[in-house]
Amino acid sequence: MSNHVLNVLLEGFDAEKANQVNLNQDQVSQDWVDIYSSRQNGTILQAFVRGVEEKTYSHAGNKKMHCAVIDIGEVKGLIPLEFLGVENRNDARQLIGEKVVFMVIAIDKENGFFVGSRVAALEEMKNITLKKINEGDDILAVVRKVFNTSLFVDIGGIEIRIPNKEVSYGWIDSLHDHYKVGDHIRVRVTSVDRKNKEVSVSIKATKPNPWENVSDHFTEQAEYVGKVSGIAEFGPYIELKEGISGLAQHLRHEVLKKGDKVLVRILKIRPKEHKINVKVIKVLS
């Protein structure tokens, strides 16, 4: 009967759209259920940072402070800088567009928002991770920062620096050529210090060591095609095979650049040191 009345009173009435209105309202209610659950039970949530704003925060004595803005469904959330784990607004801006973890630590239902703490969530995740992992475990990591010679990755709330030498068996001129923020990679745990909450990991340890059978693929005084993988002060590195790079001397009358294809002669193979000395015979491209 009521549906018939609505059909009469609302020109252009659409039952599916009307149902969607009710569903949306139910979803808002469920959003608050999730928020209260995190506050009461310490549940860890995730959301994208969609901005940074200055907000008067009553739980901090009505002081104005910069906060990261997040959402749980249709409900707005704020993470003040001190709970975000960054020092200033510029650092907070770097997180815009990134998904962060947090725990709800305060709720202002009257004004329709909640306050979260990324610091608390990361600390809880770190404690859980340290209990679970052991040396030799292979786990997933997320790349957080990329530099020329090192990566910073996150494993369950623990940020770890991976130096270039633990990324690949071969020479890598710049890690920017191979990785970007947000990449998911497989790493192997190489050490765990639970007392100091420190962990070391390696990417190359998850891969076969190509130097163990390098003599099956290359012979001294033989010539092979390779690619310039980088230019160091003391000479160019020539990639002969994935994970195997040879060091050559600079050419006298020609300048090599990264990506050039070259013909090289192998002068010396030192598998225990993971080193090959080569001489560039000809530049192919």
Side-chain angles (χ1 to χ4, degrees), residues 1 16 37 50 56 61 77 82 87 99 104 108 143 214 223 242 267 269 281:
M1 185 62 146
E16 290 187 6
S37 176
R50 65 176 174 87
T56 300
E82 62 178 309
E87 293 184 0
K99 183 178 282 189
V104 176
D108 190 335
V143 177
V214 64
E223 296 177 358
E242 184 178 356
L267 303 178
I269 300 176
I281 303 300

Side-chain angles (χ1 to χ4, degrees), residues 61-72:
N62 290 320
K63 292 191 304 183
K64 277 192 174 182
M65 58 180 62
H66 288 100
C67 305
V69 182
I70 53 176
D71 295 307
I72 293 297

Side-chain angles (χ1 to χ4, degrees), residues 46-250:
Q46 293 193 71
F48 286 99
V49 176
R50 65 176 174 87
V52 177
E53 66 179 42
E54 193 174 43
K55 184 77 173 179
T56 300
Y57 181 35
S58 60
H59 291 75
N62 290 320
K63 292 191 304 183
K64 277 192 174 182
M65 58 180 62
H66 288 100
C67 305
V69 182
I70 53 176
D71 295 307
I72 293 297
E74 295 299 317
V75 182
K76 180 178 179 179
L78 300 172
I79 306 180
L81 296 193
E82 62 178 309
F83 299 136
L84 190 61
V86 300
E87 293 184 0
N88 52 55
R89 181 171 57 180
N90 287 334
D91 290 342
R93 284 182 182 140
Q94 301 303 312
L95 291 172
I96 293 176
E98 298 292 325
K99 183 178 282 189
V100 299
V101 294
F102 62 92
M103 296 166 66
V104 176
I105 59 173
I107 295 173
D108 190 335
K109 187 69 182 291
E110 182 179 349
N111 293 304
F113 73 91
F114 65 89
V115 178
S117 172
R118 177 172 175 250
V119 171
L122 289 174
E123 186 63 25
E124 178 65 16
M125 290 170 62
K126 182 185 296 185
N127 291 332
I128 293 172
T129 300
L130 286 168
K131 290 178 182 178
K132 287 185 174 182
I133 62 173
N134 292 290
E135 186 175 326
D137 289 344
D138 284 3
I139 57 179
L140 283 179
V142 177
V143 177
R144 293 301 186 198
K145 300 173 188 174
V146 182
F147 299 95
N148 281 339
T149 59
S150 63
L151 298 174
F152 282 83
V153 302
D154 177 90
I155 60 160
I158 305 173
E159 186 174 81
I160 304 170
R161 177 182 177 271
I162 307 179
N164 206 335
K165 66 178 183 178
E166 290 300 329
V167 174
S168 172
Y169 288 102
W171 168 267
I172 294 181
D173 185 51
S174 173
L175 291 171
H176 286 286
D177 296 334
H178 302 270
Y179 298 94
K180 62 182 184 299
V181 173
D183 281 350
H184 289 47
I185 56 176
R186 183 181 174 188
V187 299
R188 180 162 297 167
V189 178
T190 55
S191 69
V192 181
D193 183 345
R194 290 184 171 84
K195 181 179 179 180
N196 295 307
K197 298 185 177 182
E198 295 178 351
V199 178
S200 297
V201 299
S202 170
I203 298 173
K204 76 177 187 181
T206 66
K207 305 172 184 178
N209 184 350
W211 291 93
E212 291 179 352
N213 60 355
V214 64
S215 296
D216 295 339
H217 297 278
F218 302 102
T219 304
E220 291 181 1
Q221 300 307 315
E223 296 177 358
Y224 303 92
V225 173
K227 183 178 69 174
V228 178
S229 57
I231 309 294
E233 181 181 351
F234 31 83
Y237 277 94
I238 313 299
E239 185 180 57
L240 301 169
K241 183 179 182 289
E242 184 178 356
I244 295 180
S245 300
L247 178 62
Q249 291 184 341
H250 287 295

